Amino acid sequence: MNQFKKFLFGFLALQCLAFSPLAIAPVQAQVNLFDNESATAFNNTGLSKEDPRTIIANLIKVVLGFLGTIAVLLVIYSGFLWMTAGGKPDNIKKAKDIMSAAVVGLIIILISYGVTLFVTETLSNTIK
């Protein structure tokens, strides 16, 4: 029972500290959005004025390009395995499995890239 009282006291003390007026300070700043100083402050932040949808679409394109590179490297690796298999059926089967998986992955990546490009172009033309 004594440990429970210590736990309860500690829990209540933590709650008092977390929700005290000292822990949550009100914001005193005011910004006039219609003066030149606010525009200058935004320009000095270094943030981009580009549309967030464009940034996300470019990020998706970069990721898909990276995945495409990995898929092509897997096709090259499986071709190397096949050439150096020396007629062993288990090595040839391993190379064929890797190549077929890499080709299917490459097709999926290319379709995803096409869909992303189509959606990006459609959204950018619709919103302008």
Side-chain angles (χ1 to χ4, degrees), residues 1-12:
M1 190 67 174
N2 194 15
Q3 288 183 350
F4 177 74
K5 286 181 182 178
K6 286 182 182 179
F7 172 77
L8 186 63
F9 177 76
F11 179 76
L12 291 175

Side-chain angles (χ1 to χ4, degrees), residues 7-72:
F7 172 77
L8 186 63
F9 177 76
F11 179 76
L12 291 175
L14 213 77
Q15 292 297 319
C16 289
L17 287 176
F19 293 112
S20 71
L22 298 175
I24 303 172
V27 177
Q28 302 286 335
Q30 294 179 358
V31 177
N32 184 0
L33 298 176
F34 301 106
D35 63 350
N36 289 335
E37 292 177 17
S38 297
T40 305
F42 177 77
N43 291 337
N44 289 338
T45 60
L47 296 174
S48 174
K49 292 183 180 180
E50 195 172 351
D51 190 17
R53 291 171 294 214
T54 307
I55 295 171
I56 292 171
N58 288 339
L59 181 65
I60 291 171
K61 289 177 186 177
V62 167
V63 170
L64 289 175
F66 180 70
L67 291 175
T69 304
I70 291 174
V72 169

Side-chain angles (χ1 to χ4, degrees), residues 61-94:
K61 289 177 186 177
V62 167
V63 170
L64 289 175
F66 180 70
L67 291 175
T69 304
I70 291 174
V72 169
L73 290 175
L74 280 173
V75 169
I76 292 171
Y77 172 70
S78 66
F80 178 77
L81 283 180
W82 198 339
M83 287 189 309
T84 58
K88 297 178 185 174
D90 54 340
N91 290 351
I92 293 174
K93 183 181 181 321
K94 179 182 174 184

Side-chain angles (χ1 to χ4, degrees), residues 68-126:
T69 304
I70 291 174
V72 169
L73 290 175
L74 280 173
V75 169
I76 292 171
Y77 172 70
S78 66
F80 178 77
L81 283 180
W82 198 339
M83 287 189 309
T84 58
K88 297 178 185 174
D90 54 340
N91 290 351
I92 293 174
K93 183 181 181 321
K94 179 182 174 184
K96 283 183 180 181
D97 290 343
I98 292 173
M99 186 172 292
S100 62
V103 168
V104 168
L106 190 58
I107 290 170
I108 291 171
I109 291 167
L110 289 174
I111 291 171
S112 301
Y113 187 81
V115 168
T116 303
L117 188 65
F118 174 74
V119 168
T120 304
E121 293 297 322
T122 304
L123 284 178
S124 65
N125 291 337
T126 304

